[in-house]
Short mmCIF file of all heavy atoms in Angstrom, two decimals:
data_model
loop_
_atom_site.label_atom_id
_atom_site.label_comp_id
_atom_site.label_asym_id
_atom_site.label_seq_id
_atom_site.Cartn_x
_atom_site.Cartn_y
_atom_site.Cartn_z
N PHE A 1 81.69 67.84 55.01
CA PHE A 1 81.23 66.71 55.80
C PHE A 1 79.74 66.46 55.61
O PHE A 1 79.30 65.34 55.31
CB PHE A 1 81.54 66.96 57.28
CG PHE A 1 81.16 65.85 58.21
CD1 PHE A 1 81.98 64.75 58.36
CD2 PHE A 1 79.98 65.91 58.94
CE1 PHE A 1 81.63 63.72 59.23
CE2 PHE A 1 79.62 64.89 59.80
CZ PHE A 1 80.45 63.78 59.95
N ASP A 2 78.93 67.48 55.78
CA ASP A 2 77.48 67.32 55.72
C ASP A 2 77.02 66.86 54.33
O ASP A 2 76.11 66.03 54.22
CB ASP A 2 76.78 68.62 56.11
CG ASP A 2 77.00 68.97 57.57
OD1 ASP A 2 76.99 68.05 58.41
OD2 ASP A 2 77.22 70.16 57.87
N ASP A 3 77.65 67.39 53.27
CA ASP A 3 77.26 66.99 51.91
C ASP A 3 77.49 65.50 51.72
O ASP A 3 76.64 64.79 51.16
CB ASP A 3 78.08 67.77 50.87
CG ASP A 3 77.74 69.25 50.84
OD1 ASP A 3 76.66 69.60 51.35
OD2 ASP A 3 78.56 70.04 50.33
N ALA A 4 78.65 65.02 52.17
CA ALA A 4 78.97 63.60 51.99
C ALA A 4 78.08 62.71 52.84
O ALA A 4 77.60 61.67 52.37
CB ALA A 4 80.44 63.36 52.32
N VAL A 5 77.83 63.11 54.10
CA VAL A 5 76.97 62.31 54.98
C VAL A 5 75.57 62.19 54.38
O VAL A 5 74.97 61.11 54.35
CB VAL A 5 76.91 62.94 56.39
CG1 VAL A 5 75.83 62.27 57.23
CG2 VAL A 5 78.26 62.80 57.08
N ASP A 6 75.03 63.30 53.87
CA ASP A 6 73.69 63.27 53.26
C ASP A 6 73.67 62.35 52.04
O ASP A 6 72.70 61.60 51.83
CB ASP A 6 73.27 64.68 52.84
CG ASP A 6 72.94 65.57 54.04
OD1 ASP A 6 72.78 65.02 55.15
OD2 ASP A 6 72.87 66.81 53.87
N ALA A 7 74.74 62.40 51.22
CA ALA A 7 74.80 61.55 50.04
C ALA A 7 74.79 60.07 50.43
O ALA A 7 74.12 59.24 49.80
CB ALA A 7 76.04 61.87 49.21
N GLY A 8 75.55 59.71 51.47
CA GLY A 8 75.57 58.33 51.94
C GLY A 8 74.24 57.89 52.50
O GLY A 8 73.78 56.77 52.24
N TYR A 9 73.59 58.77 53.26
CA TYR A 9 72.29 58.44 53.85
C TYR A 9 71.25 58.24 52.77
O TYR A 9 70.47 57.28 52.80
CB TYR A 9 71.86 59.56 54.81
CG TYR A 9 70.56 59.25 55.52
CD1 TYR A 9 70.56 58.48 56.68
CD2 TYR A 9 69.35 59.73 55.04
CE1 TYR A 9 69.36 58.19 57.33
CE2 TYR A 9 68.15 59.44 55.68
CZ TYR A 9 68.16 58.68 56.83
OH TYR A 9 66.99 58.38 57.47
N ASN A 10 71.23 59.14 51.79
CA ASN A 10 70.23 59.05 50.72
C ASN A 10 70.43 57.80 49.87
O ASN A 10 69.45 57.12 49.50
CB ASN A 10 70.29 60.30 49.84
CG ASN A 10 69.86 61.55 50.57
OD1 ASN A 10 69.12 61.48 51.56
ND2 ASN A 10 70.33 62.71 50.13
N ALA A 11 71.69 57.47 49.57
CA ALA A 11 71.96 56.29 48.75
C ALA A 11 71.56 55.02 49.48
O ALA A 11 70.95 54.11 48.90
CB ALA A 11 73.44 56.25 48.36
N ALA A 12 71.90 54.94 50.76
CA ALA A 12 71.55 53.74 51.53
C ALA A 12 70.05 53.63 51.74
O ALA A 12 69.48 52.53 51.65
CB ALA A 12 72.28 53.76 52.89
N THR A 13 69.39 54.75 52.00
CA THR A 13 67.94 54.74 52.20
C THR A 13 67.23 54.26 50.94
O THR A 13 66.29 53.44 51.00
CB THR A 13 67.44 56.13 52.59
OG1 THR A 13 68.06 56.53 53.82
CG2 THR A 13 65.93 56.15 52.76
N ALA A 14 67.67 54.74 49.78
CA ALA A 14 67.06 54.31 48.51
C ALA A 14 67.26 52.82 48.29
O ALA A 14 66.36 52.11 47.81
CB ALA A 14 67.65 55.11 47.35
N LEU A 15 68.44 52.34 48.63
CA LEU A 15 68.73 50.92 48.46
C LEU A 15 67.85 50.07 49.37
O LEU A 15 67.32 49.03 48.96
CB LEU A 15 70.21 50.67 48.77
CG LEU A 15 70.78 49.29 48.42
CD1 LEU A 15 70.75 49.05 46.92
CD2 LEU A 15 72.21 49.17 48.93
N ILE A 16 67.68 50.50 50.61
CA ILE A 16 66.85 49.76 51.57
C ILE A 16 65.40 49.73 51.11
O ILE A 16 64.72 48.69 51.17
CB ILE A 16 66.98 50.38 52.97
CG1 ILE A 16 68.41 50.19 53.50
CG2 ILE A 16 65.96 49.77 53.93
CD1 ILE A 16 68.74 51.04 54.71
N LYS A 17 64.89 50.87 50.62
CA LYS A 17 63.49 50.94 50.18
C LYS A 17 63.24 50.04 48.97
O LYS A 17 62.11 49.57 48.76
CB LYS A 17 63.13 52.39 49.83
CG LYS A 17 62.97 53.29 51.05
CD LYS A 17 62.57 54.70 50.65
CE LYS A 17 62.35 55.58 51.88
NZ LYS A 17 62.01 56.99 51.49
N ALA A 18 64.27 49.81 48.17
CA ALA A 18 64.12 48.97 46.98
C ALA A 18 64.15 47.48 47.30
O ALA A 18 63.85 46.65 46.42
CB ALA A 18 65.22 49.31 45.97
N LEU A 19 64.51 47.12 48.53
CA LEU A 19 64.58 45.70 48.89
C LEU A 19 63.19 45.08 48.98
O LEU A 19 62.24 45.71 49.44
CB LEU A 19 65.29 45.54 50.24
CG LEU A 19 66.79 45.82 50.30
CD1 LEU A 19 67.27 45.77 51.74
CD2 LEU A 19 67.57 44.82 49.46
N GLU A 20 63.10 43.83 48.55
CA GLU A 20 61.87 43.07 48.77
C GLU A 20 61.74 42.79 50.27
O GLU A 20 62.74 42.69 50.98
CB GLU A 20 61.92 41.75 48.00
CG GLU A 20 61.98 41.91 46.49
CD GLU A 20 60.69 42.51 45.92
OE1 GLU A 20 59.63 42.34 46.57
OE2 GLU A 20 60.76 43.15 44.86
N PRO A 21 60.50 42.66 50.77
CA PRO A 21 60.31 42.45 52.22
C PRO A 21 61.10 41.26 52.77
O PRO A 21 61.67 41.33 53.86
CB PRO A 21 58.80 42.21 52.34
CG PRO A 21 58.21 42.95 51.17
CD PRO A 21 59.21 42.82 50.07
N GLU A 22 61.17 40.15 51.98
CA GLU A 22 61.90 38.98 52.48
C GLU A 22 63.41 39.25 52.54
O GLU A 22 64.11 38.71 53.41
CB GLU A 22 61.61 37.75 51.62
CG GLU A 22 61.98 37.88 50.16
CD GLU A 22 60.84 38.42 49.30
OE1 GLU A 22 59.93 39.07 49.86
OE2 GLU A 22 60.85 38.17 48.08
N ASP A 23 63.92 40.08 51.62
CA ASP A 23 65.34 40.42 51.65
C ASP A 23 65.66 41.33 52.84
O ASP A 23 66.70 41.17 53.50
CB ASP A 23 65.76 41.09 50.34
CG ASP A 23 65.74 40.13 49.17
OD1 ASP A 23 66.01 38.94 49.39
OD2 ASP A 23 65.46 40.57 48.04
N LEU A 24 64.77 42.29 53.09
CA LEU A 24 64.97 43.17 54.24
C LEU A 24 64.95 42.37 55.53
O LEU A 24 65.77 42.59 56.44
CB LEU A 24 63.90 44.26 54.27
CG LEU A 24 63.99 45.28 55.41
CD1 LEU A 24 65.34 45.98 55.42
CD2 LEU A 24 62.86 46.30 55.31
N ALA A 25 64.03 41.40 55.62
CA ALA A 25 63.96 40.54 56.81
C ALA A 25 65.24 39.74 56.98
O ALA A 25 65.68 39.49 58.11
CB ALA A 25 62.77 39.60 56.69
N ARG A 26 65.86 39.37 55.87
CA ARG A 26 67.12 38.62 55.92
C ARG A 26 68.21 39.45 56.59
O ARG A 26 68.99 38.94 57.40
CB ARG A 26 67.51 38.24 54.49
CG ARG A 26 68.84 37.53 54.33
CD ARG A 26 69.11 37.39 52.84
NE ARG A 26 70.40 36.78 52.55
CZ ARG A 26 71.07 36.97 51.43
NH1 ARG A 26 70.59 37.77 50.49
NH2 ARG A 26 72.22 36.38 51.22
N TYR A 27 68.28 40.74 56.26
CA TYR A 27 69.31 41.59 56.87
C TYR A 27 68.97 42.00 58.29
O TYR A 27 69.86 42.38 59.05
CB TYR A 27 69.53 42.83 56.00
CG TYR A 27 70.10 42.51 54.64
CD1 TYR A 27 69.34 42.64 53.48
CD2 TYR A 27 71.40 42.04 54.52
CE1 TYR A 27 69.87 42.32 52.23
CE2 TYR A 27 71.94 41.72 53.28
CZ TYR A 27 71.16 41.86 52.15
OH TYR A 27 71.68 41.53 50.93
N ARG A 28 67.70 41.89 58.65
CA ARG A 28 67.30 42.21 60.02
C ARG A 28 67.26 40.98 60.92
O ARG A 28 66.88 41.07 62.09
CB ARG A 28 65.89 42.83 60.02
CG ARG A 28 65.81 44.24 59.51
CD ARG A 28 64.35 44.65 59.43
NE ARG A 28 64.17 46.07 59.16
CZ ARG A 28 63.00 46.62 58.85
NH1 ARG A 28 61.91 45.86 58.76
NH2 ARG A 28 62.92 47.91 58.62
#
């Protein structure tokens, strides 16, 4: 469980950090 949860968190965090500010604002 923990291995998979960490993998999902890391992948999503990397994706969010790669977003341009205007794109992040769009999702927020």
Side-chain angles (χ1 to χ4, degrees):
F1 182 81
D2 293 321
D3 292 341
V5 170
D6 289 346
Y9 183 84
N10 293 336
T13 299
L15 190 64
I16 294 166
K17 287 181 177 178
L19 289 173
E20 296 294 334
E22 59 270 22
D23 291 328
L24 181 57
R26 176 186 177 205
Y27 294 110
R28 287 174 170 169

